[in-house]
Amino acid sequence: MESHSSLSSSSSSSPPSSLSSESCCVKVAVNVRPLIGDEVTQGCRECVSVSPVTPQVQMGTHPFTFDHVYGSNGSPSSLMFEECVAPLVDGLFHGYNATVLAYGQTGSGKTYTMGTGIKDGTKNGLIPQVMSALFNKIDSVKHQMGFQLHVSFIEILKEEVLDLLDSSVPFNRLANGTPGKVVLSKSPVQIRESPNGVITLSGATEVPIATKEEMASCLEQGSLTRATGSTNMNNESSRSHAIFTITLEQMRKISSISVVKDTVDEDMGEEYCCAKLHLVDLAGSERAKRTGSGGVRLKEGIHINRGLLALGNVISALGDEKRRKEGAHVPYRDSKLTRLLQDSLGGNSKTVMIACISPADINAEETLNTLKYANRARNIQNKPVANKDLICSEMQKMRQELQYLQATLCARGATSSEEVQVMREKIMKLESANEELSRELHIYRSKRVTLDYCNIDAQEDGVIFSKDDGLKRGFESMDSDYEMSEATSDIGAAEEWEHALRQNSMGKELNELSKRLEEKESEMRVCGIGTETIRQHFEKKMMELEKEKRTVQDERDMLLAEVEELAASSDRQAQVARDNHAHKLKALETQILNLKKKQENQVEVLKQKQKSEDAAKRLKTEIQCIKAQKVQLQQKMKQEAEQFRQWKASQEKELLQLKKEGRKTEHERLKLEALNRRQKMVLQRKTEEAAMATKRLKELLEARKSSPHDISVIANGQPPSRQTNEKSLRKWLDNELEVMAKVHQVRFQYEKQIQVCVFKNLFQSCLLSANFFLINKPL
Ligand code: ADP
Ligand code: MG
């Protein structure tokens, strides 16, 4: 049977996340073979010492530590399989790929260790032990599950991949000893890389295996076909890399709990699991010059070195932690060997390297190189993944993801409506608090104005404007005007403060809304991405299933046609073939049924997905609602700010007006004061003049009282003349009249002035009351 054989069942670049993936280092064991034939006859000495306690090999003064050391003073080689390879065989049954690499110079015992030799291969080597362990395990669990085994055996010779199990390749390769001129009757094996990074071998024979003997015969056949050429170092050692691959496929019935329906889902069918074990016998690692051969042999040596050089570079790139962290390029593509072993080194495989060394001092240089090389390989980190059936496990993964998403969506839905409710309540509370505060502020403001008035009154109680009550009241009202403009500015500050508070609280709310919106949007994005990916994935899966179904149906139709054809012929062979076909047909029918079931299942999952999409839509509507709220709030804030700005501008304008009027009134007041002062002075002067006149009048009156006496004196002595008396009386009367007229004039003037003052004061008080009314006018 020939098919595309895949060297790795799952790509290392995109391992399914739900499958168990662990990081583990490449394990390295050293196998020190004993001194053999030539070395003993040449009298070689051992140049390596092995610690019996720790897995260490010492060359000179340099100790090398490994995971295991076998041979010499180390553990017996018989433990190698149990300690290094048996866990890998176990891992195969859990779906883990594995690789065993034998590395070392020619003649160091690689072929002996692996068991790929024709001489002693079937007895001691690791591959024969792998076969025994594999079939023992299969025997013990075959009642639980179905198994399919395949083997392939290829070699890489001069950068060409050759199929060692191809029966059409002539066996005389070994006999004529010209492996460089192998004639293949068909095209050589091609290395292909699928888009998802899986390396496949196109054209390699994959032999289905039922028994251990069949597998052993494949190993034997391949080993015989393997190119070997004689060199100075080892007559039979191969200069090619040989890869013996065992593919183990398992089918086990699984019933899983459906996370969507919460019921036991029998539709999950069988769990398919596929893993590969590569057993690699590398070519000699020594340098070309040491093979001592020219021509064709040297050319082969160079090719060998190209593969091993690339392997060394890959190991260096992967083994250096710094380079690995920097994401340095790993040169897998530099050789066929490294391309084929891509997953075994730093990829999806559990890998063991067995470094084979010769203890002989003549090989010291190569032994040291091998130890250094192997030591570096210990740093390679692999990422083995259990290769479970992708459809089954991904279905499960998708279901889990879907359930998770649904749960999250539900939770989010609940949270969002709850949160909106909470926010509404908060807004209501804030609004009522705001109202309450505004009311209080209003009360405090009016109280403050009253208090200010009281203060003004109290302060001005001591101010003396004693002369006139009217004047005093006038000045008081003028002063209180100034105080009031101060009070107005206080009111303005309070108003500003209130505005700042309002803006602040609204800003906070806006921030809160923006934050919530951002959260919702990111949730939505996550949801969107998740659902979109799921949708695409399921659509792809549906298409794949449909395709598979169609292929199987086609196959069935073909078989039906063949059966019909065979029904026509009656010989016995045809009968047998017909039976076979009928059998196959039945199997195909069940396969179709299974596929249909799977498809139905997918449809169900798609429906569930639709539901989650609806929930996502709801979330979207909520986001829009929040956005609208946000816009509203922003508009409100803007409006409020605009209103405040307008109010402030009008206040400032009024204030300016008032100040102007205040200045005018002050000017008037000063003018009035000056006038008042002048009038006072006039009044004083007039009063003084009046006093003088009164005095004079009194004197005159006194003089008149005394005049009859004078007249009698004059009459008794020397009587005054009649003209003299009349003259003095007229003079006195004139004086009297003049004084009376002046007094009258002064009084008239004084009263006029008082009237003017009173009128002006009244006018000012009116003006001030009008201003006061303007300031307190509501906005
Ligand atoms: P390689 O494949 O590395 O070139 P081989 O496996 O062909 O080396 O071994 C070279 C020779 O050494 C063979 O004759 C083999 O029998 C012998 N040899 C290798 N390992 C051992 C061992 N552990 N015990 C005894 N003989 C060994
Ligand atoms: Mg060999």
Side-chain angles (χ1 to χ4, degrees):
M1 190 181 104
E2 283 175 16
S3 68
H4 283 198
S5 87
S6 157
L7 271 169
S8 54
S9 308
S10 149
S11 160
S12 57
S13 53
S14 56
S17 59
S18 73
L19 303 180
S20 52
S21 169
E22 57 202 69
S23 185
C24 71
C25 282
V26 168
K27 280 208 168 63
V28 179
V30 171
N31 189 24
V32 190
R33 68 152 167 75
L35 290 171
I36 52 161
D38 285 355
E39 292 167 350
V40 178
T41 49
Q42 280 177 38
C44 293
R45 287 169 168 270
E46 288 199 11
C47 65
V48 288
S49 61
V50 176
S51 155
V53 196
T54 49
Q56 268 189 348
V57 180
Q58 188 146 353
M59 270 209 84
T61 52
H62 200 306
F64 293 91
T65 309
F66 295 95
D67 295 292
H68 303 279
V69 178
Y70 301 101
S72 190
N73 288 330
S75 316
S77 300
S78 54
L79 289 181
M80 197 191 301
F81 174 78
E82 219 35 67
E83 288 177 351
C84 298
V85 187
L88 303 189
V89 177
D90 269 348
L92 274 187
F93 287 85
H94 295 106
Y96 288 102
N97 293 338
T99 307
V100 181
L101 289 161
Y103 180 87
Q105 72 175 117
T106 302
S108 59
K110 300 180 297 293
T111 305
Y112 181 93
T113 306
M114 293 307 286
T116 41
I118 20 166
K119 223 170 56 184
D120 33 24
T122 45
K123 286 170 273 158
N124 309 314
L126 290 174
I127 302 181
Q129 291 182 72
V130 166
M131 290 177 193
S132 304
L134 197 63
F135 281 97
N136 286 345
K137 176 94 182 179
I138 287 175
D139 277 345
S140 65
V141 290
K142 68 179 171 200
H143 58 279
Q144 291 169 6
M145 54 188 98
F147 291 96
Q148 275 270 18
L149 273 171
H150 285 92
V151 296
S152 67
F153 201 0
I154 56 134
E155 75 171 336
I156 304 169
L157 182 65
K158 293 182 283 169
E159 278 303 281
E160 208 172 325
V161 184
L162 305 174
D163 186 356
L164 293 175
L165 296 181
D166 186 358
S167 48
S168 59
V169 174
F171 259 80
N172 62 357
R173 276 174 20 138
L174 242 177
N176 68 16
T178 53
K181 288 179 184 162
V182 173
V183 181
L184 294 172
S185 58
K186 58 173 195 164
S187 57
V189 179
Q190 300 287 326
I191 301 174
R192 299 245 163 86
E193 188 170 352
S194 67
N196 56 357
V198 178
I199 302 288
T200 56
L201 278 178
S202 157
T205 307
E206 277 205 89
V207 184
I209 301 290
T211 61
K212 190 175 134 188
E213 288 68 36
E214 279 177 21
M215 201 181 267
S217 94
C218 282
L219 179 67
E220 204 176 335
Q221 185 202 330
S223 300
L224 272 170
T225 320
R226 190 177 176 197
T228 51
S230 55
T231 67
N232 290 347
M233 300 192 78
N234 190 314
N235 287 338
E236 284 174 337
S237 270
S238 165
R239 281 152 295 104
S240 68
H241 312 288
I243 306 176
F244 185 76
T245 304
I246 301 169
T247 309
L248 174 71
E249 290 170 277
Q250 301 166 71
M251 280 285 205
R252 80 176 87 186
K253 267 239 178 289
I254 52 152
S255 55
S256 105
I257 306 236
S258 160
V259 286
V260 177
K261 296 180 212 156
D262 214 15
T263 54
V264 175
D265 189 353
E266 293 291 344
D267 279 356
M268 294 297 282
E270 292 165 318
E271 186 187 65
Y272 172 79
C273 179
C274 176
K276 297 196 176 231
L277 173 62
H278 301 303
L279 297 145
V280 189
D281 178 7
L282 292 167
S285 60
E286 69 283 351
R287 288 183 196 137
K289 67 172 166 74
R290 288 218 64 198
T291 59
S293 49
V296 174
R297 295 287 171 274
L298 182 62
K299 212 173 155 201
E300 282 174 14
I302 292 163
H303 277 302
I304 292 160
N305 282 348
R306 182 167 159 191
L308 289 175
L309 187 73
L311 184 64
N313 291 338
V314 166
I315 289 174
S316 292
L318 292 167
D320 188 336
E321 200 180 346
K322 205 173 141 221
R323 280 174 70 182
R324 198 172 52 225
K325 273 186 187 155
E326 282 167 4
H329 167 69
V330 184
Y332 289 117
R333 285 174 169 269
D334 285 3
S335 75
K336 297 236 158 108
L337 178 72
T338 43
R339 267 202 97 185
L340 286 176
L341 295 180
Q342 190 162 326
D343 263 343
S344 307
L345 299 157
N348 174 21
S349 175
K350 293 184 173 182
T351 300
V352 171
M353 178 187 260
I354 294 162
C356 300
I357 55 167
S358 149
D361 48 8
I362 51 159
N363 292 323
E365 194 190 340
E366 291 302 337
T367 302
L368 189 64
N369 282 342
T370 304
L371 290 174
K372 282 182 186 166
Y373 199 94
N375 212 255
R376 262 187 303 158
R378 287 189 77 204
N379 298 327
I380 299 175
Q381 291 259 340
N382 276 4
K383 295 170 278 290
V385 169
N387 304 313
K388 300 269 167 62
D389 176 14
L390 282 181
I391 292 181
C392 268
S393 47
E394 287 216 2
M395 277 258 289
Q396 211 163 345
K397 190 180 117 194
M398 286 294 144
R399 280 184 181 180
Q400 273 167 6
E401 253 175 53
L402 194 70
Q403 198 197 27
Y404 170 75
L405 280 173
Q406 275 176 336
T408 346
L409 259 178
C410 284
R412 278 173 196 167
T415 331
S416 66
S417 64
E418 260 171 39
E419 275 175 21
V420 168
Q421 191 58 36
V422 166
M423 272 176 58
R424 274 196 195 127
E425 275 169 19
K426 214 164 139 191
I427 289 171
M428 263 155 69
K429 259 189 210 163
L430 277 170
E431 271 173 0
S432 61
N434 194 16
E435 260 174 46
E436 187 71 24
L437 278 170
S438 308
R439 218 177 302 133
E440 267 178 41
L441 193 72
H442 194 73
I443 292 165
Y444 282 128
R445 239 187 275 153
S446 47
K447 268 187 192 169
R448 167 137 190 226
V449 171
T450 330
L451 266 174
D452 282 348
Y453 284 142
C454 290
N455 281 346
I456 294 161
D457 285 347
Q459 277 166 17
E460 289 180 354
D461 267 354
V463 178
I464 307 154
F465 282 107
S466 50
K467 293 271 157 107
D468 190 281
D469 269 337
L471 268 177
K472 187 184 168 186
R473 265 200 302 277
F475 291 130
E476 263 179 11
S477 68
M478 262 196 282
D479 273 15
S480 67
D481 172 46
Y482 285 109
E483 287 290 323
M484 239 185 38
S485 70
E486 267 173 41
T488 322
S489 73
D490 276 356
I491 290 165
E495 193 71 41
E496 237 171 86
W497 183 70
E498 201 189 329
H499 165 75
L501 263 183
R502 265 205 307 274
Q503 286 282 332
N504 195 23
S505 81
M506 279 200 276
K508 266 185 199 160
E509 249 175 78
L510 193 68
N511 276 350
E512 193 98 326
L513 273 176
S514 301
K515 222 165 84 187
R516 293 221 342 88
L517 192 67
E518 235 169 68
E519 272 169 23
K520 289 256 168 227
E521 272 173 349
S522 67
E523 277 170 23
M524 188 67 202
R525 264 200 300 280
V526 169
C527 265
I529 293 161
T531 50
E532 187 54 25
T533 326
I534 295 172
R535 194 177 62 75
Q536 280 173 1
H537 176 82
F538 277 114
E539 273 168 13
K540 212 175 113 202
K541 280 276 165 287
M542 288 287 285
M543 267 161 70
E544 275 171 16
L545 281 175
E546 190 59 46
K547 216 168 119 190
E548 206 178 327
K549 200 177 95 180
R550 238 179 284 135
T551 327
V552 174
Q553 272 171 347
D554 285 352
E555 217 176 309
R556 184 193 61 181
D557 291 347
M558 239 168 63
L559 278 170
L560 268 171
E562 273 181 44
V563 166
E564 268 169 32
E565 225 174 79
L566 285 167
S569 64
S570 58
D571 66 23
R572 205 175 153 275
Q573 210 178 349
Q575 180 61 42
V576 173
R578 207 162 51 217
D579 286 353
N580 270 348
H581 277 76
H583 196 67
K584 268 190 193 169
L585 209 63
K586 220 170 158 188
L588 282 174
E589 292 282 4
T590 18
Q591 215 175 331
I592 290 172
L593 252 163
N594 271 347
L595 282 171
K596 267 185 189 160
K597 269 187 190 168
K598 273 189 188 174
Q599 215 172 5
E600 278 163 20
N601 223 26
Q602 295 274 13
V603 169
E604 177 63 31
V605 175
L606 268 178
K607 267 187 209 159
Q608 290 295 333
K609 205 204 64 54
Q610 184 61 41
K611 268 188 207 164
S612 73
E613 267 179 4
D614 289 348
K617 261 183 214 157
R618 272 207 302 281
L619 195 62
K620 215 170 166 182
T621 334
E622 268 170 35
I623 285 175
Q624 266 161 3
C625 183
I626 293 177
K627 269 187 188 167
Q629 269 182 358
K630 200 177 140 183
V631 169
Q632 258 181 355
L633 193 64
Q634 275 171 334
Q635 272 172 355
K636 205 172 144 192
M637 271 175 87
K638 224 163 133 186
Q639 257 177 18
E640 214 262 350
E642 178 59 24
Q643 263 181 8
F644 178 74
R645 198 189 57 75
Q646 277 175 5
W647 175 83
K648 211 175 162 189
S650 76
Q651 284 290 305
E652 270 164 12
K653 210 168 142 193
E654 269 177 38
L655 197 70
L656 273 175
Q657 189 75 21
L658 277 173
K659 273 184 184 164
K660 210 168 138 192
E661 276 169 19
R663 272 197 303 276
K664 247 182 182 169
T665 327
E666 173 74 1
H667 187 66
E668 286 286 312
R669 191 177 67 92
L670 288 173
K671 247 165 85 181
L672 278 172
E673 263 180 349
L675 184 68
N676 185 256
R677 263 198 307 277
R678 270 203 313 276
Q679 281 171 348
K680 266 195 213 164
M681 271 157 68
V682 168
L683 189 68
Q684 206 174 347
R685 211 176 59 232
K686 295 285 172 197
T687 321
E688 276 169 9
E689 274 177 10
M692 284 283 285
T694 317
K695 202 176 154 197
R696 263 218 320 265
L697 193 64
K698 264 186 186 164
E699 277 172 10
L700 278 173
L701 281 173
E702 280 295 317
R704 205 178 52 182
K705 260 186 202 168
S706 60
S707 64
H709 176 72
D710 286 343
I711 291 167
S712 65
V713 169
I714 293 163
N716 290 336
Q718 206 179 24
S721 67
R722 202 189 156 136
Q723 284 95 347
T724 319
N725 272 348
E726 273 178 12
K727 238 186 201 169
S728 61
L729 195 64
R730 194 166 285 147
K731 205 181 162 188
W732 174 81
L733 268 171
D734 280 348
N735 259 340
E736 197 81 342
L737 276 170
E738 199 186 341
V739 168
M740 287 302 280
K742 279 230 171 113
V743 166
H744 188 78
Q745 202 183 346
V746 167
R747 190 163 287 159
F748 176 74
Q749 284 267 334
Y750 180 72
E751 269 165 14
K752 209 174 130 191
Q753 283 298 329
I754 281 174
Q755 266 177 3
V756 168
C757 277
V758 167
F759 177 74
K760 275 194 176 166
N761 283 340
L762 261 172
F763 175 73
Q764 274 170 1
S765 342
C766 281
L767 204 71
L768 285 170
S769 336
N771 281 344
F772 181 70
F773 172 73
L774 268 173
I775 292 160
N776 283 335
K777 174 182 75 177
L779 278 171

